[in-house]
Amino acid sequence: MGSTMQGFFCVNPRIPLQVVRTRISRCNFHILSRKRNTRVLSASCLTKGGRTGLQTSSVFEKVRILDFEFRSLPEPLDRVKRLLQYATLLLPLDESSRIQENRVTGCTAQVWLEVKMDQTGLMRYRVDSDSEIAKGFCSCLIWLLDGAEPDEVLCVKTEDLVEMNVGLPSRKSRVNSWHNVLVSMQKRTKDLVMERDRKDQCMDEAFSSLIIVKGNCKETIAR
């Protein structure tokens, strides 16, 4: 399938590659190059079932990495191949999660999305599809947004990821796949943030009422 070099997934281990370090924006990552070709090691879904590889906490930095990675693949076929690699790294959802409630609307392929907010307030996503291309898109989005702050998720714009488009006119639905999944991620994230804020407001009101009641009791006892 491939080999791992310093935490990065190598597209073709049989091709001799030379490691060169470069810097883009605030993020350091590796570029592998050879005489006539420039090969960018995958910066997103690097190892199956884990987050080893590039360590970065900023969604902004990850967006830059994805943009650079796919921009370095101008041929549509190369982008499709990269997405198919990422599809193999996406952990599947259980059958119990493949329900209508989790379906992402607007996609030609079937896509299921689970969205949760953990106890620390970070967003957690799980996604799966019956299309390998859609899985590849989803794999990139999981690497980009899973474990991020809600505000970071909501700040990502579809135009930030336009380089992920495979550019095949006869496959416009592929372009819509990641777009619709991103929009659905953001919508459900916003709903969870609003739900959390409502609960916090209710707790604040209950606490304020408790303080008022205790204060009235103390005044009554003093009299």
Side-chain angles (χ1 to χ4, degrees):
M1 179 63 197
S3 66
T4 301
M5 180 181 297
Q6 297 186 5
F8 291 90
F9 184 81
C10 185
V11 177
N12 190 344
R14 294 190 178 91
I15 299 176
L17 300 173
Q18 180 183 2
V19 178
V20 180
R21 183 174 293 273
T22 187
R23 182 178 180 86
I24 290 185
S25 185
R26 295 176 293 166
C27 178
N28 281 330
F29 59 101
H30 292 85
I31 293 178
L32 295 187
S33 61
R34 56 178 181 168
K35 288 183 179 180
R36 297 175 123 191
N37 257 337
T38 298
R39 293 242 173 183
V40 179
L41 283 177
S42 306
S44 42
C45 311
L46 303 173
T47 57
K48 197 167 187 175
R51 296 184 184 181
T52 59
L54 184 66
Q55 298 297 320
T56 177
S57 58
S58 169
V59 171
F60 170 79
E61 291 172 349
K62 291 181 179 181
V63 167
R64 290 296 187 92
I65 293 168
L66 278 178
D67 176 79
F68 184 85
E69 180 181 349
F70 279 90
R71 189 155 32 90
S72 70
L73 301 171
E75 295 298 325
L77 183 59
D78 290 334
R79 296 188 180 196
V80 170
K81 289 180 179 179
R82 181 61 57 87
L83 290 170
L84 291 177
Q85 289 175 348
Y86 287 170
T88 66
L89 304 176
L90 185 67
L91 295 177
L93 281 176
D94 298 331
E95 287 299 325
S96 59
S97 298
R98 294 187 171 208
I99 56 178
Q100 186 62 33
E101 181 182 350
N102 291 336
R103 279 286 303 275
V104 177
T105 60
C107 298
T108 301
Q110 295 188 86
V111 180
W112 299 271
L113 171 67
E114 282 188 340
V115 182
K116 296 180 180 178
M117 182 183 291
D118 66 19
Q119 295 180 346
T120 64
L122 300 180
M123 300 310 303
R124 298 297 176 183
Y125 303 98
R126 296 185 64 204
V127 63
D128 202 357
S129 175
D130 62 354
S131 162
E132 294 302 308
I133 293 291
K135 280 184 179 181
F137 285 129
C138 293
S139 192
C140 292
L141 291 174
I142 288 292
W143 175 78
L144 180 66
L145 299 176
D146 186 51
E149 296 279 355
D151 289 344
E152 287 186 302
V153 175
L154 297 177
C155 283
V156 177
K157 300 178 181 178
T158 54
E159 50 264 36
D160 294 334
L161 302 174
V162 69
E163 293 295 338
M164 284 173 56
N165 293 344
V166 294
L168 298 178
S170 60
R171 295 291 186 271
K172 291 184 179 180
S173 61
R174 291 178 177 175
V175 175
N176 292 333
S177 295
W178 69 262
H179 177 277
N180 292 330
V181 175
L182 175 61
V183 170
S184 185
M185 282 178 159
Q186 292 178 324
K187 181 180 182 303
R188 299 186 195 184
T189 296
K190 189 175 182 179
D191 291 341
L192 287 175
V193 169
M194 293 176 64
E195 181 181 348
R196 180 196 62 185
D197 291 345
R198 282 196 298 267
K199 289 181 179 179
D200 290 344
Q201 183 178 0
C202 289
M203 291 183 63
D204 290 342
E205 291 176 353
F207 184 71
S208 298
S209 299
L210 181 61
I211 293 177
I212 293 174
V213 170
K214 285 185 176 181
N216 291 337
C217 289
K218 288 181 178 180
E219 290 180 3
T220 302
I221 293 174
R223 292 175 184 175

